[in-house]
Amino acid sequence: MQAKALVFAGIFVMMILSNMLSRKRVFGGKEIKDVSQANPTYLTPDGKTFAIWGLIYLMELVMVIAQLIPSDTTEEIFARKCPITGLDVRERLMLAFVIVAVWLPLFINEFFLGSLIFLVGYLGLLVSAYTDLAPKMLSGVEQVVLFSVGVSLNTSWAVVATFVSFLQYLGTIGWKTSSVAGNVPVACGTVVFVGYLGCVQAFLGHDFAWAFVAAWACMGISRTQTNPDQASFPMKAMSSTLASVAKYTAYAVMVTMVASVVALAVA
């Protein structure tokens, strides 16, 4: 198992290196920000929102380091198998990390259908791993911090990213409103769904990492629709309705997080 733990760590490093190369514009002379700005959707959050990746990778690094330290408990957690694929937790996450490395050049070169397909696979693998690493599947705060938080953050963000990618693809085949992929009603519905998942995860799953990302993403979507930035989003397409829905959805998730903390404290 220690050999698999080392391979897992190596694939994580490969994914990080792939991200670094993308920032250096190695994959086609562009980076993710350029493609996102050139292909706006009504669900695209503002640039500040993408800073969440720093926290995601930090907490996944914590997980990768922790799983390198041999213990019966760690091996029991990472040996849990998916009932559908038979893959254990490490194998599912390794595949997810490989997909990210492949997805980057696809997205940067604007192969939106291919990138969407890979992103759906990525989300599926993360959700599958999350079912074994969710806070309620672990024992104590230490295990949650070491093994759950990184995957929770990543999975919650991947939900939003998959919806954005879907709209980007639909935009390439003609579904645009004021030169922006998608429309306001669909975006509002998606935001409410993301917020609903955040509330459920906070109150029923006690997963504050997931809920935090849901609220963070909704606030980023609200800022896109509130703060004029012609380079990122056409000002004529900005929607005060979407801005309000996203903002108050984020507030609802935050309130639910506080309510969940209070409920845990008095239980």
Side-chain angles (χ1 to χ4, degrees), residues 19 29 54 62 88 103 121 136-137 140 176 186 190 192 194 214 227 229 244:
N19 273 272
V62 169
D88 66 28
W103 172 84
K136 287 200 167 184
M137 298 297 294
K176 291 187 176 183
V186 167
T190 304
V192 170
V194 168
N227 303 325
D229 183 0
S244 295

Side-chain angles (χ1 to χ4, degrees), residues 81-87:
K81 293 186 179 295
C82 171
I84 298 174
T85 65
L87 299 174

